[in-house]
Amino acid sequence: MALPVEVLRLQTEISRMQRASARVDALPVHGALSPLFPEGGLRPGAAYALDPSASLLLALLAEPSRAGSWCAAVGMPDLSSEAAEAAGVDLSRLALVPEPGERWLAAVSAIAEVFPVIAVRPAGVPRDADVARLSARLRDRGGVLLVTGRWPQAEAVLRLEDPSWSGIGDGHGLLSARTVTVAATGRRSPVPRRVRVQLPGPQGAPVAVSRPRLAPVPAPEPAATTPDDDRAARARDVLARAEQRMRAPRRGLAAIG
C-alpha cells in the first residue's frame, strides 16, 4: 500500500536533516596540510595529538586565527609570539598561558568555554575522568584541542617522518627550509594519510612538495638581498629556534611522549 503523501514528505525532510547534521564545518588549515584531515580541516569537538614540533603546531594555528578564531597556547613557555607571527598566526587572536603549573588541565577546561582552538603541552598524565569531561566540553562548545604529546581520546595522531634540511652546501650556505613527511592516523582514518611539505617553508608557512622527492639544490652564489629576503630569513631562524626549544625536555615534569 502506498504511503500517504505527508508521510513521504516527513521521511524526505528527516533524511535531509540527518545529512545536514552529518556535515561538519571544519576549522581551516593550510592547503598543504588539508589532505591529512577527512573534512579538509580540524574537526570541531575533537582532540589531536601532535609530535612536539613548533612548526607543525603553529602551522595548524595559523589559518584558524586568520579566519577569525581565537587560539590559546597553554603550558608552552618557550613558544614566543615572534615565532607564532613568523608562522603566520594572527597575534591579535592568540593568547599565551605559559606557566599554568599543576592546574594546566583546569586552565584548558576554562579556556575551552570561550576559545575555539587550544594548544597544550601537558605537564602530567591526566586522569581518564578528567579527559572525558574535557572531551564533553569540547563537543559541546565545538572546540579543537591540539596536544603536543599523547592524548587518550585523540581524533588523530600527527607525526613527522623523514626530515631533511636544505640550503646547506659543502661547508657553506644557510638553512632555507626543512622538508618533512607529516603522517596522520586516526579512528576514522586507520590507513595513514601523508603529505610531503616544507615545514617551515622559505617564508615560514608550509609549502607542499610534489612526489617523488626532489634532490637538494646546490646553494646559489651569494646575491644581493632584499627586505623580503631578510624577513624570510628571520622567520626561518625564529621557527628553527622555536623547534629546538619545543623538542627540548622539560625538567621536573612527567614525560608525555
Side-chain angles (χ1 to χ4, degrees):
M1 185 176 66
L3 292 174
V5 174
E6 183 65 15
V7 174
L8 290 174
R9 187 189 68 79
L10 289 174
Q11 287 180 336
T12 302
E13 181 67 14
I14 291 171
S15 177
R16 183 191 66 80
M17 294 175 63
Q18 288 176 337
R19 288 196 301 270
S21 63
R23 292 194 296 267
V24 176
D25 293 329
L27 274 69
V29 297
H30 193 280
L33 301 177
S34 62
L36 296 171
F37 306 94
E39 295 84 10
L42 301 171
R43 182 181 179 87
Y48 297 86
L50 317 177
D51 270 356
S53 165
S55 297
L56 177 59
L57 175 65
L58 293 174
L60 293 174
L61 292 177
E63 292 302 319
S65 71
R66 298 200 301 188
S69 296
W70 279 85
C71 304
V74 180
M76 302 179 187
D78 296 327
L79 188 66
S80 68
S81 58
E82 186 182 18
E85 185 177 32
V89 177
D90 184 348
L91 296 185
S92 68
R93 295 188 178 91
L94 176 66
L96 300 178
V97 186
E99 296 285 2
E102 295 180 357
R103 295 184 56 80
W104 63 272
L105 190 56
V108 171
S109 297
I111 293 171
E113 289 286 343
V114 291
F115 278 58
V117 186
I118 306 166
V120 61
R121 185 178 183 179
V125 180
R127 298 178 302 176
D128 291 342
D130 293 332
V131 172
R133 281 193 292 270
L134 178 56
S135 298
R137 180 163 297 180
L138 291 171
R139 290 192 297 269
D140 180 61
R141 298 295 184 183
V144 171
L145 183 66
L146 304 175
V147 184
T148 58
R150 299 175 184 172
W151 194 252
Q153 298 181 14
E155 174 77 9
V157 178
L158 275 65
R159 304 186 187 281
L160 303 185
E161 303 172 349
D162 192 21
S164 64
W165 286 93
S166 60
I168 293 292
D170 186 10
H172 62 85
L174 297 174
L175 291 174
S176 59
R178 178 185 63 169
T179 304
V180 65
T181 297
V182 185
T185 306
R187 291 177 294 181
R188 294 182 300 115
S189 300
V191 177
R193 294 167 173 251
R194 288 184 169 87
V195 294
R196 188 74 178 170
V197 295
Q198 290 182 334
L199 185 69
Q203 302 295 328
V207 177
V209 176
S210 59
R211 296 174 181 271
R213 187 174 41 160
L214 300 176
V217 178
E221 292 296 324
T225 61
T226 67
D228 287 342
D229 294 331
D230 292 337
R231 284 193 291 270
R234 181 174 177 79
R236 291 193 299 268
D237 180 66
V238 168
L239 289 171
R241 286 187 280 112
E243 191 79 22
Q244 292 175 346
R245 290 194 298 266
M246 284 284 288
R247 290 185 174 276
R250 299 179 68 184
R251 297 180 179 177
L253 300 177
I256 299 301

